[in-house]
Amino acid sequence: RKDRQAWAPAYALQRVIELRTSLGDAEGVVKAAEALLAKTPDSRYAPAAQLAKAEALKAQGKDSQATQALGDLRTMIDAK
């Protein structure tokens, strides 16, 4: 039996974001960030995931979506 740590899912998704970033896979970064934000919105990795999402959207030329992602990050920060 493996003990599942509460922090492990968010950490694993953050590592996926880092991997996708290093591979230059902007679409993969967005998908992984959205998964992290949906599954673990209160994790310590959520703000970094939101920022990575915005950067990846900008890299794809999706400026309005990137701006929205940054707005969502601001809302997240203000809520804390």
Side-chain angles (χ1 to χ4, degrees), residues 15-50:
R15 297 293 293 162
V16 171
I17 292 169
E18 292 170 3
L19 174 66
R20 295 296 180 187
T21 299
S22 69
L23 293 173
D25 179 8
E27 186 176 333
V29 171
V30 172
K31 288 179 181 177
E34 288 174 346
L36 187 150
L37 294 165
K39 293 178 181 178
T40 59
D42 295 324
S43 83
R44 65 186 292 174
Y45 304 105
Q50 191 67 48

Side-chain angles (χ1 to χ4, degrees), residues 57-80:
L57 288 166
K58 178 70 175 168
Q60 293 178 65
K62 298 178 180 178
D63 295 347
S64 63
Q65 290 176 326
T67 300
Q68 178 61 48
L70 289 174
D72 293 345
L73 176 60
R74 170 50 70 193
T75 300
M76 182 186 300
I77 292 168
D78 289 343
K80 298 288 178 190

